[in-house]
Amino acid sequence: MSGLSVKLKTPATGEYEQPTGLFINNEWVKAVDGKTFEVINPTDESVITSVQEATEKDVDIAVSAARKAFEGSWRKETPENRGKFLVNLANLFEKNIDLLAAVEALDNGKAFAMAKGDVGACAGCLRYYGGWADKIEGKVVDTSHDTFNYIRKEPIGVCGQIIPWNFPLLMWAWKIGPAIAAGNVVVLKTAEQTPLSALVACNLVKEAGFPPGVINVISGFGKVAGAALSSHMDVDKIAFTGSTVVGRQIMKAAAGSNLKKVTLELGGKSPNIVFADADIDNAISWVNFGIYFNHGQCCCAGSRIYVQDSIYDEFIKKFKERAAKNAVGDPFGQETFQGPQVSQIQFDRIMSYIEEGKKSGATIETGGNRKGDKGYFIEPTIFSNVTEDMKIVQEEIFGPVCTISKFSTKEEVIKIGNNTTYGLAAAVHTSNLNTAIEVSNALKAGTVWVNTYNTLHWQLPFGGFKESGIGRELGEAALDNYCQTKTVSIRLGDALFG
Ligand code: NAI
Ligand code: MG
């Protein structure tokens, strides 16, 4: 890979070889237009390296490589082997956990320990879908004595996949696992903020035994490479995770091109509801994790906190103390829980929401400032004295910032919990089983956690109601979004019309 890799260093692993090319046909290649772009370290704002930048022409090349692989041998590959390759890949993720996690921490800024959790979840997800590969089954349906009908589950074909920067490796695994299990081929575009870990993972794709062209990964910008992928006439399906604004553009691109199938996993403004009968210390710990995990850069972040009035004062006192104790600092620090935000743009966006909150009259209970003068660090921030119409209560901030308000009755909190255009997640903290079930069933969200938060699992479907998305990732449900249903109807009797 001459000229298409560099030697880099991470504090956790020392020197390693970082690929910088586009991964097409199991080879590292240069971008046709010779463009590259810089990758920034959010911890100290330095340039880590540059990677090849895909434009429309590279998307074309990647899509035809994928098409060729699909129509050639991959269509005929046995389900057993598809599963085997995925399990191999899962094992390689585990074997390389330190390197993958270190690159993730370097590029994205998340704590190394948390990044290791992500890599473990990638392995779990890939292995789970490896297990599904030979269990995707059709059906025989009897309609009359002289007809034989069977229903086949077939792969869709070439899948375009566009992922964000908040979980670069995890989103890679969530997208690739079900697509490959169902027999598809993929062209995946990483986020321009965080291309590095996915490229390291591509070396493992080859090692796992995948034939050329089955998994192709390109680095590039949304408006160029992402737009080319979502409007491509030879891409059969597009799967996207990111902002609701871009999700709408993806749907338009699909509608304006070949009506490719679309799945979207978008934003959220998830309510985290604490009833007076909850175990308060437990609830505080989950509420804290619910908003501050991954620096608040989670689509399902519990950013709207509602606490029942009789425990509100005690809750806010303890929650403030807990939030202020979260260790914010160098991702490679032993104790670090929260690293920097991913980019200058995200940092500025979050700080402007904090300003907006102050201007609208909300009270800062803790935080509200930049931390340090280098890197994109922001203090864990809590706003109280908020009203439902404030921007900080309505819009996704995607940073370590939450709002907290009081409620008195179950009926009231169900109503305000659902007072959002989003519907990705929600949580209820209570020791009353009836309250837990009643409120969970009434909340319009794809996932409701009870006495926990952010505890996603690859076996459980994840996705949004309302403007949080279309389709589901993870679990058996994700496979539905990567299969076509074909009906074959065979006439056994004589001609019906003579
Ligand atoms: P974004 O939606 O612009 O980026 C996500 C991915 O979409 C990236 O790979 C990007 O290159 C691609 N993209 C951007 N424009 C595109 C286009 N026109 N066509 C095709 N692909 C395109 O998100 P961004 O700007 O990085 O973050 C903005 C906000 O989006 C965040 O503050 C947050 O609120 C939300 N977001 C939500 C995520 C989630 O997990 N649901 C992840 C990232 C961001
Ligand atoms: Mg963007």
Side-chain angles (χ1 to χ4, degrees), residues 99-297:
L99 175 63
L100 290 166
V103 176
E104 196 79 319
L106 180 75
D107 193 4
N108 164 283
K110 68 176 69 194
F112 178 57
M114 302 285 164
K116 279 175 106 165
D118 286 7
V119 178
C122 289
C125 175
L126 293 167
R127 187 173 292 118
Y128 169 76
Y129 284 109
W132 264 115
D134 59 4
K135 293 165 198 73
I136 299 169
E137 294 171 348
K139 229 182 188 180
V140 170
V141 179
D142 197 11
T143 54
S144 70
H145 77 279
D146 53 6
T147 312
F148 172 58
N149 309 293
Y150 63 92
I151 299 169
R152 260 164 74 76
K153 292 286 174 192
E154 293 186 2
I156 298 179
V158 177
C159 299
Q161 304 184 314
I162 299 175
I163 61 170
W165 42 261
N166 51 344
F167 294 91
L169 278 172
L170 197 60
M171 294 302 104
W172 189 100
W174 283 22
K175 293 280 181 288
I176 286 177
I180 295 295
N184 300 279
V185 294
V186 308
V187 176
L188 180 148
K189 190 196 83 64
T190 53
E192 52 269 41
Q193 297 84 351
T194 53
L196 298 185
S197 56
L199 298 178
V200 174
C202 287
N203 278 334
L204 308 180
V205 163
K206 211 169 159 176
E207 204 181 330
F210 284 99
V214 173
I215 296 175
N216 307 278
V217 175
I218 56 177
S219 314
F221 290 86
K223 286 203 170 88
V224 182
L229 201 54
S230 48
S231 59
H232 204 288
M233 290 301 288
D234 201 30
V235 169
D236 302 305
K237 184 232 160 84
I238 188 96
F240 169 77
T241 299
S243 61
T244 296
V245 175
V246 173
R248 290 184 203 279
Q249 287 168 13
I250 303 271
M251 281 203 92
K252 278 190 194 147
S257 54
N258 61 346
L259 278 176
K260 53 181 67 64
K261 312 300 165 244
V262 178
T263 46
L264 304 173
E265 204 265 272
L266 309 173
K269 192 72 184 173
S270 302
N272 201 350
I273 300 165
V274 184
F275 282 89
D277 60 12
D279 174 325
I280 193 159
D281 293 325
N282 213 11
I284 283 166
S285 151
W286 285 115
V287 165
N288 183 66
F289 188 69
I291 179 61
Y292 300 119
F293 169 61
N294 211 41
H295 331 168
Q297 303 168 143

Side-chain angles (χ1 to χ4, degrees), residues 216 267 420 443 496:
N216 307 278
T420 166
L443 289 169
L496 199 58

